[in-house]
Amino acid sequence: MSIKSIAAKLFAQYIHNKVQNWATKPVETQEKVFRDLIAQAKHTQFGNDHDFAHIKTFQDFAAKVPIRDYEQLRSYVDQVVKGEADILWKGKPIYFAKTSGTTSGAKYIPLTKESMPYHIEAARNAILSYIHETGKADFVDGKMIFLQGSPILEEKNGIKLGRLSGIVAHFVPKYLQKNRMPSWETNCIEDWETKVDAIVEETFNENMTVISGIPSWVQMYFEKLQQKGNKPVGEIFKNFNLFIYGGVNYEPYRAKFENLIGRKVDSIELFPASEGFFAYQDSQKEKGMLLLLNSGIFYEFVKAEEFFTENPRRYTIGEVELGVNYVLLLTTNAGLWAYNIGDTVQFTSLNPYRVIVSGRIKHYISAFGEHVIGKEVESALKEAMEDTDVRVNEFTVAPQITPNQGLPYHEWFIEFENEPENLEDFALKIDQAMRKQNTYYDDLIVGNVLRAVVITKVAKNGFQEYMKSIGKLGGQNKLPRLANDRKIADFFK
């Protein structure tokens, strides 16, 4: 065992103890975060407009600060982007994370000197948590790759901006810089396909031990490695044993990845976003990710089924229940206040508080009142694939309201790596799994309002072509698992 791996184990123990300190006092921890946030923003424009001087309790806050999404907060953000100080948070942000909005064009999410360190700390602690639990630390001596956006930053009114993953690249700890790949020059390549080709060339003969990125884009990297080496990725990188991912559920990809790698590897799930780093998988044995309650973020939760009603109830951490689908709201030390990030979560544990990402509040199918969410379609596909050789590269689901004949249905667009022997039987398995999970959907099938799932096969690399057509190939971009319209579906028709 190297000195570096011994040091990693000792540091992992230290961090584990620190995490336990706040994880065992969740309500108290969140109350302290809440008080600190209000105190620090009391004299900002937002604080003055919302009477922060008289906010003493969460009830005061909920009464004075309405739930907002980006568009509703935009008048404040626009002032920050113009270079004005003390608007949403004290002073000015040090960065803007630039993301592509669906309705608002580019979105500029502020990152402050208070919020930025938590993005770095959380990613580090996820790895240290893994080391502490498993005792595995040898991978720290090998090379690590993080597939991410370009670190080249623009500037707007004196504030640097770029993709979050590109900004984070500027904060790689010194002790990781020698191990980290790809090179700075390769990381700066804008075209995603060109970049992946360069990464393959640069890493092919290296001792890669950790690989990280969004599964759909790592899959492209693995396929190109396999083509170049004409053997599984696990034989090319014999010491590769840890995959770190975030952004989407890994389960639909797991069988394909194990086939590409040639064996199973451990994985760590992360829950980061431009707005904050919310959770990471702290255990290989327990379901869900540890919600980070001591990272400058105060969380609120609204039951998804109540979200679009007038004045839905807002819950704090001590009031949540297991298995309920909640819309996640954030108040952060980057100046977001009761902010709707758009993600929905479910708690898998209340001691400590662990969550899974169940979907997006805007990504659902309810064309007939079925209220189908992302978690349900992913679980249904996983169940249908169990004990089969079927492997799926990518998929999305849309309602077909006006078919040429017969009843309406949910249309599943699937790009198979290994197709099922009988497509109709496979579709029926998916349908049965959906009916078990969602009583509204089951009622519509029983009542002859809908017919069973219909699968439409998508050609190899079809989803990559779709993402390229909308300018979102690679990086942190993700394909929606489902939609209540047919914008994606029409691309394949």
Side-chain angles (χ1 to χ4, degrees):
M1 187 178 292
S2 69
I3 292 173
K4 196 171 183 179
S5 59
I6 292 169
K9 285 189 174 186
L10 292 171
F11 192 33
Q13 179 64 56
Y14 169 73
I15 292 299
H16 173 76
N17 293 341
K18 280 189 73 173
V19 169
Q20 291 308 301
N21 238 2
W22 59 256
T24 53
K25 298 178 286 190
V27 174
E28 182 184 327
T29 298
Q30 277 283 275
E31 284 176 352
K32 183 180 184 303
V33 169
F34 173 74
R35 289 193 301 271
D36 288 349
L37 292 170
I38 297 299
Q40 292 193 66
K42 191 178 289 185
H43 301 297
T44 61
Q45 183 181 323
F46 190 93
N48 289 329
D49 290 349
H50 295 82
D51 195 20
F52 275 22
H54 293 100
I55 291 179
K56 306 298 180 191
T57 66
F58 167 68
Q59 288 71 29
D60 295 338
F61 178 78
K64 294 175 185 293
V65 181
I67 298 169
R68 286 179 169 93
D69 59 17
Y70 185 83
E71 279 301 303
Q72 293 161 322
L73 197 67
R74 187 165 187 163
S75 61
Y76 290 98
V77 176
D78 285 348
Q79 292 179 69
V80 182
V81 172
K82 285 176 186 174
E84 295 178 31
D86 301 320
I87 303 298
L88 285 164
W89 188 253
K90 58 187 182 183
K92 297 181 184 182
I94 54 173
Y95 296 99
F96 290 116
K98 187 178 179 182
T99 70
S100 50
T102 50
T103 57
S104 53
K107 292 163 63 176
Y108 297 92
I109 307 298
L111 297 165
T112 63
K113 69 179 191 300
E114 290 83 9
S115 71
M116 194 66 221
Y118 287 115
H119 285 271
I120 312 307
E121 184 181 284
R124 179 203 70 190
N125 289 358
I127 297 174
L128 292 171
S129 182
Y130 171 82
I131 291 172
H132 177 265
E133 184 191 41
T134 65
K136 299 174 183 176
D138 289 346
F139 64 83
V140 301
D141 296 313
K143 299 282 187 177
M144 306 178 187
I145 189 167
F146 299 87
L147 293 180
Q148 58 188 190
S150 170
I152 297 174
L153 304 180
E154 305 169 52
E155 197 167 291
K156 200 172 184 73
N157 297 318
I159 299 171
K160 291 181 178 179
L161 66 95
R163 298 285 180 184
L164 175 67
S165 62
I167 293 169
V168 168
H170 292 262
F171 289 83
V172 178
K174 285 185 179 178
Y175 61 83
L176 276 183
Q177 284 174 3
K178 287 184 180 178
N179 298 62
R180 185 186 173 91
M181 299 195 79
S183 66
W184 185 267
E185 293 73 23
T186 296
N187 224 4
C188 290
I189 297 171
E190 287 289 347
D191 180 74
W192 185 252
E193 290 171 295
T194 306
K195 182 174 186 168
V196 174
D197 286 338
I199 291 172
V200 168
E201 292 304 317
E202 202 166 273
T203 59
F204 189 79
N205 292 313
E206 296 288 347
N207 177 29
M208 304 304 302
T209 56
V210 178
I211 295 172
S212 175
I214 290 177
S216 50
W217 307 124
V218 175
Q219 179 177 307
M220 184 193 291
Y221 169 56
F222 282 174
E223 286 171 341
K224 288 176 179 285
L225 279 169
Q226 196 180 58
Q227 287 165 14
K228 179 177 172 64
N230 200 27
K231 56 186 174 183
V233 173
E235 288 185 31
I236 298 169
F237 303 141
K238 295 186 186 301
N239 296 315
F240 165 48
N241 281 300
L242 183 59
F243 173 51
I244 303 173
Y245 68 95
V248 298
N249 187 356
Y250 181 41
E251 289 309 317
Y253 300 93
R254 190 178 292 277
K256 175 69 188 291
F257 267 53
E258 288 176 359
N259 180 258
L260 284 167
I261 298 165
R263 53 184 162 81
K264 293 184 178 183
V265 299
D266 287 349
S267 60
I268 302 174
E269 183 175 8
L270 310 178
F271 185 11
S274 299
E275 295 83 353
F277 202 125
F278 314 125
Y280 60 73
Q281 184 181 345
D282 67 319
S283 174
Q284 295 290 302
K285 301 166 188 170
E286 304 294 334
K287 186 180 180 183
M289 295 173 283
L290 182 71
L291 189 64
L292 303 181
L293 304 176
N294 194 37
S295 295
I297 301 171
F298 177 73
Y299 301 95
E300 299 175 63
F301 309 90
V302 175
K303 291 181 180 178
E305 62 191 27
E306 299 172 2
F307 186 73
F308 294 107
T309 63
E310 194 173 347
N311 297 319
R313 181 176 169 188
R314 293 152 67 172
Y315 297 84
T316 56
I317 195 67
E319 302 171 302
V320 296
E321 304 169 60
L322 293 173
V324 175
N325 206 36
Y326 291 105
V327 177
L328 182 66
L329 306 180
L330 313 168
T331 289
T332 79
N333 56 4
L336 303 177
W337 302 96
Y339 185 85
N340 170 23
I341 190 178
D343 285 319
T344 57
V345 298
Q346 291 179 6
F347 284 88
T348 59
S349 165
L350 303 182
N351 183 25
Y353 284 90
R354 293 194 181 100
V355 295
I356 57 168
V357 180
S358 52
R360 299 276 295 166
I361 193 64
K362 291 182 180 178
H363 292 171
Y364 60 89
I365 298 177
S366 201
F368 306 91
E370 58 270 49
H371 309 297
V372 169
I373 62 174
K375 174 179 173 288
E376 291 170 344
V377 297
E378 288 176 338
S379 296
L381 181 62
K382 181 186 175 189
E383 186 173 324
M385 290 167 63
E386 281 174 3
D387 302 320
T388 74
D389 294 327
V390 176
R391 289 196 295 275
V392 168
N393 287 339
E394 195 60 276
F395 78 100
T396 193
V397 188
Q400 176 50 274
I401 300 171
T402 54
N404 292 331
Q405 56 184 21
L407 293 171
Y409 52 88
H410 284 187
E411 188 169 10
W412 287 58
F413 293 83
I414 303 179
E415 181 185 322
F416 289 102
E417 175 70 17
N418 271 9
E419 290 186 25
E421 289 181 11
N422 187 310
L423 201 62
E424 288 185 7
D425 285 351
F426 189 71
L428 193 57
K429 281 185 181 179
I430 291 175
D431 198 70
Q432 287 166 345
M434 284 299 306
R435 292 175 66 177
K436 279 191 292 183
Q437 291 184 90
N438 188 309
T439 55
Y440 301 108
Y441 180 78
D442 184 55
D443 288 344
L444 291 167
I445 298 287
V446 172
N448 288 321
V449 176
L450 291 178
R451 60 177 156 126
V453 160
V454 171
I455 293 175
T456 296
K457 290 191 290 185
V458 172
K460 176 78 170 171
N461 298 324
F463 285 107
Q464 287 182 22
E465 291 302 317
Y466 167 73
M467 294 298 277
K468 187 189 286 188
S469 76
I470 60 170
K472 290 190 176 184
L473 183 69
Q476 305 304 299
N477 297 308
K478 296 160 283 192
L479 176 78
R481 280 284 170 251
L482 72 180
N484 209 34
D485 56 42
R486 292 186 61 81
K487 287 179 184 172
I488 300 175
D490 289 344
F491 179 84
F492 298 107
K493 287 296 186 181

